[in-house]
Amino acid sequence: MINRFHKGAKSYEKTICAAIAIFAFLCIWQLVVSFTKAGMVLAGPVETFAAFFKAIVSPIGTHTIEGHILWSLSRVLVGFVLGSLAGIVLGILMGWFRPISALFRPIFELLRPIPPIAWIPLSIVWFGLGESSKYFLIFYSAFCAVTMNAYSGVRSVDAELMGAAKMLGASNRQVFTSIVLPSCIPQIFAGLQIAVGTSWATVVAAEMVRSSEGVGWVIIKGQDSNSTVQILVGIVAIGIIGYILAVTMRAVEARLCRWSVRGK
Amino acid sequence: MERERKMSREVIVCKDISKTFDTARGPVHVIDKVSLSVRENELLVLFGPGQCGKSTMINCMSGLEPVSSGSVEVSGRLVTKPGPDRGVVYQRMALFPWLTVMGNVEYGPKVRGVPKKERRERAQHYINLVGLDGFENSYPNQLSGGMQQRVGIARAYCNEPDVLFMDEPFGHLDAQTRYLMQEDLMKIWEKEKRTIVFVTNNIEEAVYLADRIIVMRNCPTSIKTEYEIKLPRPRDYVDPEFLRYREEISAVVDKAL
């Protein structure tokens, strides 16, 4: 209980510090825009947030800002869910069966350093300009991150725990389902965290290259019409949603992995 | 008389067991022709200095590791692989951190297909036995080291094995908790007698717990000598007889580096 109280007090202090830091940042931004020449190429925070709230009711292009956000989120959702599921399955298989890892691991080691956005041109050639190429890119970015994490999660399962389970009478199949799978959940979540971040970054990039809606499109249209306000509205939206995604993932993890050190 | 007769039944029989590990720097001979037997409901302590292969002894006797030569029999059956007729309590606890205390204790019966109601009752019985009633729904990381090892003991007991191996189970605990755990282990064992092989490098712990102490030689492990400890229980750490045993055994133990 003492511990929990202490933690509570800390997070309260943290919130105040964060609020002060953000407020100071906004003030400096406003001062720079109001009193220097930067104001000619950069919209101020007041103007940006006014435009952001206005965009909630009056559309930019064909959609309001929530509409654009939902478009981007739907792309992320499809790619992320499919990519993560495939990644979890392949990663676990690689971890449990040596021949599969011998076969796939070298490929992943080669693919890993290539950022997903490097595949944008090829994905357009392969899948066209529609949704499929975006789904593919996000699938790919989630898939790589989750596969490698699920793999190393299975590889790092405590051998003593598996021994203890066998000693208590568990069959190999039971060791897999009751020891290996729960053991690697925290590491799979670490992969999902990374995947959600890269998926969100990838969708914005893909929309900037080619789309007719979504937050990436808002930014690129802002550039076309020389409106720094619109660009910043897009950036603010990306920041807020990215933050919400990360926080949500952490909350889900903390709930599912109450037992683990990471989940604390 | 009844107990004498039962005590004489040999539950564990090790014949000439040796163990050699193949390492990158060549073979390492860890156990050298150890023969021993453990009687039913006896508490045997394997006592030896430092890293002399006592844990490897436990791994071989419990079936976690195959022996290089010789044989181990538990209740007349040859030990070749891990199995639920042998229970192990580990130095590093080896609790399943994603399961509650109840989940850990009932794990053995659960994987062996004991119906839920029955295994819950049985698990509750052993949770009470080790003094953890009220903590059934706690996770291991919410418990102190001593309480975690109580879960380890309850988990091993709950599977109702023929023999229990305890591999320096109190090695990671602080001195005070260690004394308390030794006392409580004695109380548990007096209430529910089991055949126990207990490994330790702590001479006081050995004399406090043992019916019989086997003193091991260092690297490779072999049997040096053995003592029957004929002191009434509960034992007193500063009783003159206790101290005499302590002194006598200290004198024959190899010094660990």
Side-chain angles (χ1 to χ4, degrees), chain A residues 160 164 167-168 174 178 183 259, chain B residues 62 83 92 97 107 111 141 159:
Chain A
E160 198 170 34
M167 212 67 226
L168 288 162
Q174 285 170 324
S178 69
S183 289
W259 51 271
Chain B
S62 64
R92 285 175 46 224
Y107 182 87
V111 292
N141 69 0
N159 220 17

Side-chain angles (χ1 to χ4, degrees), chain B residues 57-73:
Chain B
M57 274 292 294
I58 289 281
N59 289 345
C60 287
M61 289 165 81
S62 64
L64 205 60
E65 297 235 16
V67 291
S68 302
S69 67
S71 68
V72 180
E73 280 180 17

